Amino acid sequence: MKTQTTMEKAAAIFRKAARPPIFAAAFLVILFVADPAYIGPPWQLAFGIFALGVLPILGYPLQRFIPPFKDKGREGQRSLAMLFCFGGYLLGTLWGVFTQAPEGLLMVYFCYLSCGIGMLIFNKLFRLKASGHACGIMGPVFAMCIHFHLWIPALAGCLLAVLVFASSVKTKEHTVGQLLGGSAIALVCISAVSAVFTVL
């Protein structure tokens, strides 16, 4: 059995710590601090963090309790995490529509929902294995650049994304092609949703 080097252990720890739901929660907080009008009252922020940050990450600890996934190892964990993510994105979008959330928050929900749909189509329908990690990391970065024009947080997000991508390749969790594929899905989805919200 191959022993992990210190660099490989560090890369694995960093990758686990930098999960997309954490980026999503940070993204919402950044928008709220930049301009509270983007998000609305604190209870909207709290629910957004639950839907995009807490619910999606529950798939990891709950895998062992869900029969169809508990014996499928890493692949089962990824599949369950994707379902929990999509469920959180759908819940957030429905919440945003029914509570008449501010346009900024509603745009964020639709961005995540469209990215979730894109990932499900590519990974489950076409079996292309684009990286959901890359999509979840780059989504907020693209949104801050394309729609909200928050350049400094976006730059910080890019630097973190480089580290996440490097750690993913180092730990062999994803190939460069899978990371680029996930990033491309995020770019297309964010651009499309931003264009629609700009017109409306």
Side-chain angles (χ1 to χ4, degrees):
M1 183 176 180
K2 184 180 177 181
T3 303
Q4 280 188 320
T5 65
T6 301
M7 185 65 72
E8 288 171 337
K9 289 179 180 178
I13 292 171
F14 179 79
R15 188 180 183 280
K16 288 179 180 179
R19 295 190 187 278
I22 296 174
F23 270 66
F27 177 37
L28 291 175
V29 172
I30 288 170
L31 290 181
F32 187 75
V33 171
D35 187 348
Y38 285 142
I39 302 297
W43 57 268
Q44 285 282 18
L45 174 63
F47 191 86
I49 291 174
F50 170 73
L52 303 182
V54 176
L55 191 58
I57 214 167
L58 290 179
Y60 295 99
L62 293 180
Q63 180 194 15
R64 69 185 70 178
F65 303 111
I66 302 178
F69 299 94
K70 68 178 183 179
D71 296 323
K72 293 187 177 180
R74 184 72 179 114
E75 283 304 312
Q77 189 180 66
R78 283 175 175 165
S79 297
L80 186 60
M82 189 173 293
L83 290 175
F84 268 77
C85 284
F86 187 77
Y89 302 162
L90 181 60
L91 178 64
T93 303
L94 293 174
W95 170 271
V97 171
F98 286 118
T99 63
Q100 298 183 333
E103 183 178 308
L105 180 57
L106 199 58
M107 185 267 182
V108 170
Y109 284 139
F110 272 101
C111 282
Y112 273 92
L113 182 63
S114 65
C115 285
I117 292 172
M119 288 298 303
L120 286 174
I121 290 173
F122 272 75
N123 286 353
K124 298 302 181 183
L125 188 59
F126 296 126
R127 306 288 182 180
L128 294 181
K129 291 191 176 180
S131 170
H133 208 123
C135 186
I137 295 296
M138 291 306 299
V141 173
F142 289 139
M144 286 189 285
C145 289
I146 295 170
H147 193 82
F148 296 103
H149 309 301
L150 298 173
W151 306 111
I152 294 177
L155 177 59
C158 283
L159 295 176
L160 285 173
V162 170
L163 295 175
V164 171
F165 286 13
S167 67
S168 294
V169 173
K170 183 70 176 177
T171 57
K172 296 182 171 59
E173 289 287 344
H174 291 294
T175 64
V176 173
Q178 290 168 349
L179 292 168
L180 292 177
S183 299
I185 291 172
L187 178 59
V188 170
C189 292
I190 300 300
S191 298
V193 172
S194 178
V196 170
F197 271 78
T198 299
V199 170
L200 295 177

